[in-house]
Amino acid sequence: MRPTYTCQRCLGFMGKPGLGRRLRSAGPAADIRRVFISTQVNQANSTRSRKALTIPSKSHRSISSLESQGGGAKSEPLEAPSPVSLNRPPGTEESTRVLLRPHNLFHRFSESPSPSIRRRAAFIKQHAYCPHPDHHRSGGGQDGPEVRKSADASQPPLHVSFECADCGIPVYCSEEHWADDFENHLEICDTFRQINEDDHDLRSGRFFPEFEYPGPQLEEAQVNMTNWDTFLYSREFEAINSERSMRQVTRLLTYPVTIGSFLHELSPYSIRNGGRLTTEGLKSLSGLLGPFLRFLFEILTLYPKALRYTLHPPRSGAGLDIKGLRPSAPPARIFILGARAESSLPREVWIQLSHMFPRGIFHLIFIGPESMTNRDSEFPLPKRTPGNPFGAIVEDRISHQLKISTFVEYYHTLHKAGIFQPYDPYFDCFVLFHPGLGHPASSHEWEETVPQLLETKVPVLVTGYTEWDMQRDLKWVQEKVGGEVDLLLEPGENRFRSLRWDLNDLDPQDISCGNWGVWSFRGKRYETTRKHAE
């Protein structure tokens, strides 16, 4: 019998509004791990129901899909069946749960059958301001809808309360302002409706075949990284036949695939015209091919080739017997700084990064004060001891190719302690997902960190929510340390961005998608030359 439930960790992570935003609202950011633990209890209570399922031979865990936010109060109806509910007699299942069909996904937020979406609507009405130009500026920002407001406006700022009949999201303070500003709202109304239906789809109770992840594949089967379609096909994912399913699956996979597309030898970013990779970027990246010939490459090319050479080592004739012993390279360390939502990704998602490099070994290191948010019940923070001074949490049994460590601490503190020394451009890379380098509320947190990153001479990969957000971060870096920076990858749209749009609950007019843009930089290298004596 085909399973009718989907991994709760995937659903919980994707149902989280304002995914990974620097300034998240406290209301919708519910504990996504709480439901995951409750579903584990349900599975333990019904061994017979698990045996009755025919689980596909994939590298993912399938758990029941419940309400993904808000703690799941007992008085609220379940929105998808648990494995225990599969024991019910046929014919009674439909009457005991809420199930939204594909033609019935649109609902006003305040009238949604999902309790968490109703709570989200209440949060938006309590915090978001009406964008109509008749209101004074709210003080929440000087960009977007706030630009249209003038100091001579006749009305004070008011919170939104009216829900558009076409998109179902609270957008204006009254119907009159909505009708008067309808032309501006019409530009994003269709996107709002898409966000509405995608959020209800996650809580529909349907089976999600797009969350079935493939395992390792033959090394000879090359990955095509032209776009999402060719990547999913060449990696042998289950066929995805709808745009909504594509949006759901890319919401999670954008994190590991963005990193992989930057480091892979078949990367879509090249030095060719329009490829966006700079000369310095070619020097830094085209080497993650293998330290076995490192010295020879440096002699022949006069500049180092780093990460790609390490992750794509040449075949060395290694074997299982004593004659087949060969030295192997250490793991490639990927430092993910300012980690937030990405550190809570189901580990099956991060394993997809290692599958892109059949002979590569990774050590992911999540660093940031929010890197363990909402995960206390899963991994209680250990005490800081002389042997573990920063309370690191190590997950070393995920895969033979993947190890994950988490530090609930600022990077500049760890850098001063020297626990990651020495750094090597052949084995190390920094990743900053939506860091907000130029954001007024977060730029001060990076002023001490960025110069330390430049000292390491290691590539730094940065993503942004929008083009404006990405350009703001780039401008901030150039203003602070512009003379000491080499640009490796020119700013531009990420080929493996999330295809699903996200809504900012503090400002519904602010819509974005995860990892929309990507660029990279590194500390400037100085080459010494010897002047011949005359």
Side-chain angles (χ1 to χ4, degrees):
M1 182 178 71
R2 186 174 180 81
T4 57
Y5 56 89
T6 299
C7 177
Q8 175 60 25
R9 300 179 73 182
C10 294
L11 291 176
F13 183 85
M14 295 183 61
K16 198 171 186 178
L19 178 64
R21 289 188 176 275
R22 194 73 197 174
L23 300 176
R24 287 200 303 264
S25 54
D31 188 350
I32 62 176
R33 297 287 171 177
R34 191 180 311 156
V35 182
F36 171 60
I37 295 175
S38 67
T39 54
Q40 286 182 317
V41 175
N42 287 339
Q43 284 188 318
N45 291 336
S46 179
T47 304
R48 184 177 63 179
S49 65
R50 292 200 303 269
K51 292 181 179 180
L53 298 174
T54 303
I55 304 296
S57 57
K58 301 290 181 181
S59 63
H60 78 297
R61 291 196 300 264
S62 294
I63 320 175
S64 63
S65 171
L66 301 179
E67 178 60 38
S68 63
Q69 294 183 357
K74 294 182 179 179
S75 59
E76 298 171 353
L78 296 179
E79 298 185 349
S82 66
V84 178
S85 65
L86 297 177
N87 293 326
R88 295 171 182 158
T92 63
E93 185 174 317
E94 294 296 328
S95 61
T96 56
R97 62 171 177 166
V98 176
L99 183 65
L100 300 177
R101 299 297 182 183
H103 63 276
N104 188 33
L105 293 177
F106 174 76
H107 298 273
R108 292 174 183 255
F109 267 29
S110 61
E111 302 174 359
S112 170
S114 168
S116 68
I117 294 183
R118 294 198 300 270
R119 287 191 294 270
R120 185 180 182 186
F123 182 90
I124 294 175
K125 293 180 179 179
Q126 184 178 1
H127 294 85
Y129 287 95
C130 177
H132 196 278
D134 284 350
H135 296 286
H136 293 294
R137 292 185 178 181
S138 61
Q142 304 301 324
D143 56 282
E146 296 295 316
V147 175
R148 300 191 298 137
K149 300 179 181 180
S150 66
D152 300 329
S154 59
Q155 299 182 20
L158 293 178
H159 292 289
V160 298
S161 59
F162 176 77
E163 292 178 334
C164 173
D166 294 325
C167 63
I169 294 177
V171 286
Y172 288 89
C173 64
S174 64
E175 185 176 0
E176 291 75 15
H177 277 187
W178 168 77
D180 184 58
D181 203 35
F182 184 72
E183 290 187 3
N184 289 314
H185 174 69
L186 195 61
E187 296 177 359
I188 55 177
C189 187
D190 290 340
T191 305
F192 278 162
R193 186 181 181 98
Q194 184 183 105
I195 294 173
N196 185 320
E197 294 181 353
D198 287 347
D199 283 345
H200 282 95
D201 179 53
L202 288 177
R203 297 159 177 83
S204 65
R206 72 174 178 90
F207 175 67
F208 289 81
E210 57 265 39
F211 292 157
E212 289 191 359
Y213 302 134
Q217 64 187 61
L218 295 176
E219 185 175 355
E220 291 75 12
Q222 297 290 343
V223 178
N224 189 325
M225 309 199 71
T226 304
N227 52 44
W228 274 117
D229 291 326
T230 58
F231 172 78
L232 296 177
Y233 177 79
S234 59
R235 273 290 291 125
E236 299 181 352
F237 276 75
E238 293 287 342
I240 299 177
N241 300 317
S242 69
E243 293 184 0
R244 176 167 292 113
S245 296
M246 178 67 81
R247 292 195 296 268
Q248 305 290 29
V249 70
T250 58
R251 175 78 175 277
L252 298 183
L253 290 177
T254 179
Y255 292 94
V257 179
T258 294
I259 297 176
S261 66
F262 181 66
L263 303 179
H264 204 276
E265 64 178 352
L266 300 179
S267 170
Y269 309 113
S270 65
I271 200 172
R272 297 177 182 176
N273 187 25
R276 293 169 49 193
L277 192 67
T278 65
T279 304
E280 292 298 326
L282 181 65
K283 295 178 182 179
S284 291
L285 294 178
S286 60
L288 261 186
L289 298 172
F292 179 74
L293 300 176
R294 173 175 181 173
F295 178 76
L296 177 61
F297 265 72
E298 290 185 353
I299 295 298
L300 294 179
T301 61
L302 300 180
Y303 50 76
K305 297 176 178 280
L307 290 169
R308 292 176 183 169
Y309 194 66
T310 300
L311 296 176
H312 298 280
R315 295 183 180 275
S316 58
L320 299 178
D321 56 359
I322 191 66
K323 295 182 179 180
L325 293 179
R326 299 290 187 276
S328 59
R333 298 188 300 179
I334 309 295
F335 299 92
I336 301 179
L337 308 188
R340 300 184 296 276
E342 56 270 19
S343 64
S344 300
L345 274 173
R347 293 329 188 210
E348 293 83 354
V349 177
W350 283 114
I351 288 177
Q352 294 302 308
L353 174 62
S354 62
H355 289 340
M356 297 170 62
F357 303 88
R359 287 186 290 145
I361 303 176
F362 289 92
H363 183 191
L364 298 183
I365 304 174
F366 295 109
I367 302 175
E370 301 178 59
S371 57
M372 286 298 294
T373 302
N374 300 326
R375 300 184 64 196
D376 293 341
S377 57
E378 182 181 358
F379 291 106
L381 291 179
K383 295 182 179 180
R384 302 196 176 196
T385 63
N388 188 12
F390 295 99
I393 297 174
V394 180
E395 305 169 60
D396 55 357
R397 297 186 179 182
I398 298 176
S399 162
H400 69 283
Q401 291 182 271
L402 180 65
K403 173 184 176 181
I404 296 180
S405 299
T406 305
F407 292 82
V408 186
E409 187 60 83
Y410 284 104
Y411 171 77
H412 55 76
T413 303
L414 302 175
H415 182 87
K416 293 177 181 178
I419 65 173
F420 299 125
Q421 297 283 358
Y423 296 93
D424 192 325
Y426 282 84
F427 304 108
D428 299 334
C429 178
F430 292 101
V431 179
L432 282 61
F433 289 117
H434 318 113
L437 297 176
H439 195 284
S442 58
S443 59
H444 66 280
E445 298 179 353
W446 295 100
E447 288 186 355
E448 187 175 0
T449 299
V450 171
Q452 294 173 345
L453 299 181
L454 300 181
E455 292 176 5
T456 65
K457 310 302 181 183
V458 170
V460 182
L461 181 68
V462 189
T463 68
Y465 286 115
T466 61
E467 182 176 7
W468 184 83
D469 179 46
M470 180 177 57
Q471 293 294 341
R472 180 180 61 183
D473 291 349
L474 175 61
K475 181 180 178 181
W476 183 88
V477 171
Q478 291 175 339
E479 290 177 351
K480 294 295 181 180
V481 289
E484 298 297 324
V485 171
D486 283 331
L487 198 63
L488 307 183
L489 183 67
E490 296 177 354
E493 185 174 355
N494 179 12
R495 294 201 183 191
F496 294 96
R497 68 175 179 88
S498 170
L499 299 181
R500 179 181 163 179
W501 293 97
D502 298 317
L503 185 71
N504 183 359
D505 292 352
L506 298 176
D507 181 10
Q509 307 297 321
D510 177 20
I511 56 177
S512 59
C513 60
N515 301 325
W516 182 91
V518 62
W519 60 288
S520 178
F521 66 93
R522 181 203 63 201
K524 183 177 289 293
R525 290 176 177 173
Y526 296 93
E527 297 183 2
T528 59
T529 58
R530 179 177 297 178
K531 184 177 181 180
H532 297 285
E534 295 181 359

